[in-house]
Amino acid sequence: MSAVSFKKVSKFFMGKCALSQLTMEVPEGKVTAFLGPNGAGKTTAIKLMLGLDSPTEGEITVRGTSSEQLGAGDFESIAYVSENQKLPLWMTVQRYLDFCRPLYPSWDDELEARLLEQYQLPMKSKLKHLSRGQLMKVSLLSNLAFRPKLIVLDEPFSGLDPLVRDELIGGLLEFSESEGWTVFISSHDIEEIERLADHVAIIKDGILQSNESTDSLLARFRRVLVPLKEGAEVPAGISKEWFGIEKAGRFLTFMHDRWGEGALRKLQEELGEIVDGEVRGEVLSLRDILVALSKNPQLKR
Amino acid sequence: MKNLRLIVLRELDHFRGWFYLLLGLAGFTVLLHVLVLTILPGMYLAEFLVVMKSYVVPGVFGILCAMMGYADSPEHGSHEFKTRPVRLKTLYLGKVTVIAGTAVALVLVQALMSWFAGFPLGLWKLWVPLFLVGLGFFFLAALLRPTIFSALQLVVVIRLPWALGDLWHVFLRGRDGLAIYPMSFLALSFVSAVYLFGVFLAKNSLRKRYLWGLFIPLAALVVGAGVWLLPVGQRVVSADLIEGSLEERFRPELRFEPLSNGMIRLEVIEPKSDQGAIHRLRFESRVVELVGEGGTMRRIPIFQRSYSSFDSSEEDELLMALGLVPRYTEEQLDRIVTYTPNSRLVVSGSRNFEIPAELRGQSLEIRSEGVASYWETESLGVLPIRVGKKINNKNLSVEIVDVDDGKYLISLRVHARNGARIRLGAFQKNLENPSLPYGEIKWLTNHGVIDGMSTVDIMKVDIHKSQIEESPEVAVLHLFSMTYRGVAPFRSKSVLFDGKKSLEKRQLMKADYPIRPSISATESE
């Protein structure tokens, strides 16, 4: 079942396309990473999802409600944390939590206390006197304490130091696993997302490039290393499934996006006698896959 | 509701920066003004305060509205509160609380400024409608979506205080105020047209959002029309009052005088009116009715045009082109004012019209219809021409701030204390002109009327050289004011005009004056 469903959603700003025919499902109870370079349309998609703006075309459903109809009742179970979020900086941490608490019937005081202890926040300081990391902690705390069903995070970790980042990710991982919350997290920097995401959607220039489970994505992409015989030349017109072909010394390297037993066999047939030794397929990181997809839009699937 | 207090604080927080900026600007302006005061004599705190309350205070209100819209616009606003389960009702209640609180604070500031500037009256007339209209706009917008504000912010900042100022004029002056309203009406229409053009240039969702921007111009038009239709704004005086004045106070005479070129002159004369505290009527004929021998009747409309030179402005031309009455129509039959030896005014005015061809050479019955403006005239008294001399009444305060003997020029500082239409005039004894042995009248207010509470003006008056030279210590101005009270329709009695007789210059078709005035008031419609 999907927590969020995008159906042919497009968004134009002054004639400029920010999102084009985006169709995507966000699976319930999973952590979905929404990846893409800056300006890819991630924040736009999130704003549309939360009803902060209206799509030019298409429809978005969030937990069974159209995004444009989301009201106070729906937001009682939706958490939203964004890097651009303007918190009321004149409030103290205590006052801010006091403000949020009565809005949510499901606010969990014990969880709040636990998170406060974990994050070590100065309760009497005004938000404007906190560091960026502390602000993000406050924001996250105020969004986790009511035990939301859907957590939307827009670039939550950008500009944070690794320690804070690890702490926040650790917390999120813990809750998403133990509570079964649906997490939708956008980022242009994917290293920290890799260990978090069950599902990955990749977007570029407003167009969805890939949308599948992390395991499936990691399984089908490989960097292939082919040792060549002395003086061997790479034949012209080789498989279209290869991309990013490079020849360094006696090794031919390229990317493959349909890796598997069949792919290996086919490869050995195509290269035939020029191979000198074992052909290896190295596992790629999400980052490498994102870079490969960004450079080779023909790989869209 | 639990969070109302914090939401109010949040709203305040959103425009805190602007507030500081305005406060800084105000402080700087005060400082500048103090400097100017010490350098330039003749400038007063009152003038400064008037400017402040006329422009700065509505400006603050406009910026406030805009900032509150900005706070919730999708592009710039705080997503924090839009993605929290804050009920819209609570959010808007917070906004309304802020607007209402600020409006009250501004009214207090305005009242203080006005009090310092010497305007104790009429404040509510500006601020109550301003507040209500502002609040009305706000509620209207609140019923729609928060995004409405983002599109409206520019219009609000630029246009709203201006439009409200216009409405205030209409409110104070009734129908007469409309004479200036059409200019704003045109401006508003222009703004709307530009806006519409922008809407159709914009794409998709922007178009939808900008369309909401039509709300304010349209709402302003609707409110304007509403005020126009309100009977409260018309200041119509009763026919009885005019009839009473005609009977008791003075006896104006309506005469039709044939001219040699086949024209007839319609003339109103008010002989021997009291110069002191009298109620005066000014007759403005709109239509002349001619009834021929066979019962043929023709109604000749009189061209609505002020013919006193200083009133014939471009604005009048434009308004006439639009079919609207010029601004100060009470001038129309008011040409000659003389100051007679027995301290009485003689006011007369005339208008020529042509007898239609089919009625020429017949005996005609002639009568006229029009509107009588009702003015209260009051002598302010005699003001010695010396710096610092001051004279007051309940409506006006006049002070001599400079006497330039070399140029024979007096500078008067005039405060009008309420929203009434007031003319200020002065007599000056003229010793050189034998035909006017008691001097001539000078209208000090250039357009005949002071714009009520918004006016603190420095006015210049020429004084006669001989008066100063001959006896500077007794040189005086005799000041008087005329306060507009309203209008009532009138109809003259019929007079007979024998067109068969030869036209003689002195053949006056007098009414039954002095037994009864030839003009009678008709019931107000």
Side-chain angles (χ1 to χ4, degrees), chain B residues 3 12 65 73 106 162 169 196-197 255 289 314-315 349 453 460 464-465 482 525:
Chain B
N3 288 314
L12 288 171
C65 291
S73 64
L106 288 178
W162 183 13
H169 271 281
L196 260 182
F197 184 64
R255 299 194 295 196
E289 273 185 7
E314 286 179 12
E315 186 185 358
M453 58 183 281
K460 307 279 186 189
H464 205 280
K465 181 182 172 184
M482 292 177 67
E525 290 170 9

Side-chain angles (χ1 to χ4, degrees), chain B residues 1-5 87 89-90 93:
Chain B
M1 292 301 158
K2 290 176 190 169
N3 288 314
L4 183 60
R5 189 174 66 91
R87 310 275 157 190
K89 199 168 72 178
T90 314
L93 204 61

Side-chain angles (χ1 to χ4, degrees), chain A residues 56 77 84 110 148 185 210 253 277:
Chain A
T56 313
S77 58
N84 298 318
E110 280 180 23
I185 179 165
S210 162
T253 62

Side-chain angles (χ1 to χ4, degrees), chain A residues 92-94 121-126 129:
Chain A
T92 61
V93 176
Q94 181 70 59
L121 290 166
M123 298 299 282
K124 289 180 182 171
S125 296
K126 287 192 174 181
H129 296 135

Side-chain angles (χ1 to χ4, degrees), chain B residues 293-335:
Chain B
E293 286 168 351
T296 321
M297 191 178 84
R298 285 292 304 271
R299 284 170 64 87
I300 305 173
I302 294 178
F303 184 42
Q304 299 297 313
R305 181 172 177 13
S306 164
Y307 59 81
S308 67
S309 59
F310 51 72
D311 270 351
S312 180
S313 61
E314 286 179 12
E315 186 185 358
D316 281 355
E317 300 287 344
L318 180 62
L319 292 173
M320 276 188 293
L322 291 169
L324 297 158
V325 181
R327 191 169 177 177
Y328 302 121
T329 51
E330 72 274 7
E331 293 292 337
Q332 285 182 357
L333 284 170
D334 182 12
R335 276 312 288 279

Side-chain angles (χ1 to χ4, degrees), chain B residues 139-349:
Chain B
F139 275 119
L140 206 63
L143 287 173
L144 302 164
R145 285 174 66 103
T147 46
I148 186 174
F149 286 110
S150 68
L152 291 189
Q153 56 195 353
L154 193 68
V155 184
V156 168
V157 167
I158 294 172
R159 190 54 207 155
L160 192 58
W162 183 13
L164 291 178
D166 293 342
L167 290 179
W168 163 58
H169 271 281
V170 176
F171 186 82
L172 286 186
R173 292 178 164 185
R175 276 189 193 278
D176 297 310
L178 281 176
I180 58 160
Y181 190 66
M183 299 306 290
S184 314
F185 185 91
L186 288 178
L188 212 57
S189 307
F190 177 73
V191 170
S192 309
V194 171
Y195 211 85
L196 260 182
F197 184 64
V199 167
F200 287 107
L201 283 184
K203 302 279 184 187
N204 305 314
S205 61
L206 278 178
R207 181 180 298 174
K208 185 175 148 197
R209 186 142 23 94
Y210 287 156
L211 270 171
W212 289 119
L214 289 173
F215 241 107
I216 281 201
L218 285 176
L221 292 182
V222 169
V223 172
V227 172
W228 184 52
L229 293 172
L230 276 178
V232 68
Q234 294 181 23
R235 285 175 184 267
V236 176
V237 295
S238 74
D240 288 350
L241 190 65
I242 290 190
E243 193 71 64
S245 292
L246 287 167
E247 291 286 347
E248 295 165 18
R249 305 282 182 155
F250 65 109
R251 292 167 181 273
E253 189 178 339
L254 186 70
R255 299 194 295 196
F256 294 96
E257 183 181 357
L259 302 175
S260 56
N261 58 3
M263 306 276 283
I264 287 188
R265 171 175 292 169
L266 166 69
E267 198 165 16
V268 179
I269 297 176
E270 299 171 23
K272 299 181 180 178
S273 298
D274 288 343
Q275 173 266 317
I278 57 167
H279 300 282
R280 289 190 64 242
L281 291 169
R282 297 190 172 205
F283 297 94
E284 176 194 324
S285 277
R286 295 272 169 86
V287 174
V288 172
E289 273 185 7
L290 305 169
V291 184
E293 286 168 351
T296 321
M297 191 178 84
R298 285 292 304 271
R299 284 170 64 87
I300 305 173
I302 294 178
F303 184 42
Q304 299 297 313
R305 181 172 177 13
S306 164
Y307 59 81
S308 67
S309 59
F310 51 72
D311 270 351
S312 180
S313 61
E314 286 179 12
E315 186 185 358
D316 281 355
E317 300 287 344
L318 180 62
L319 292 173
M320 276 188 293
L322 291 169
L324 297 158
V325 181
R327 191 169 177 177
Y328 302 121
T329 51
E330 72 274 7
E331 293 292 337
Q332 285 182 357
L333 284 170
D334 182 12
R335 276 312 288 279
I336 308 151
V337 183
T338 50
Y339 190 41
T340 55
N342 54 356
S343 293
R344 287 180 174 219
L345 287 166
V346 173
V347 181
S348 69

Side-chain angles (χ1 to χ4, degrees), chain A residues 46-52 60-75 77-78 150, chain B residues 82-84 88 145:
Chain A
I46 287 179
K47 280 187 178 178
L48 298 181
M49 185 205 290
L50 294 171
L52 294 170
I60 306 167
T61 317
V62 181
R63 294 177 50 75
T65 307
S66 165
S67 62
E68 295 191 77
Q69 305 294 323
L70 289 175
D74 302 297
F75 282 115
S77 58
I78 299 174
L150 170 66
Chain B
K82 294 173 78 179
T83 53
R84 295 282 187 193
L88 270 187
R145 285 174 66 103

Side-chain angles (χ1 to χ4, degrees), chain A residues 14 85 90 96 99 104 142, chain B residues 13 76 80-81 84 206:
Chain A
M14 301 292 283
Q85 211 156 3
W90 47 275
Y96 181 62
F99 178 84
Y104 300 95
S142 70
Chain B
D13 184 60
H76 316 102
E80 168 65 14
F81 281 81
R84 295 282 187 193
L206 278 178

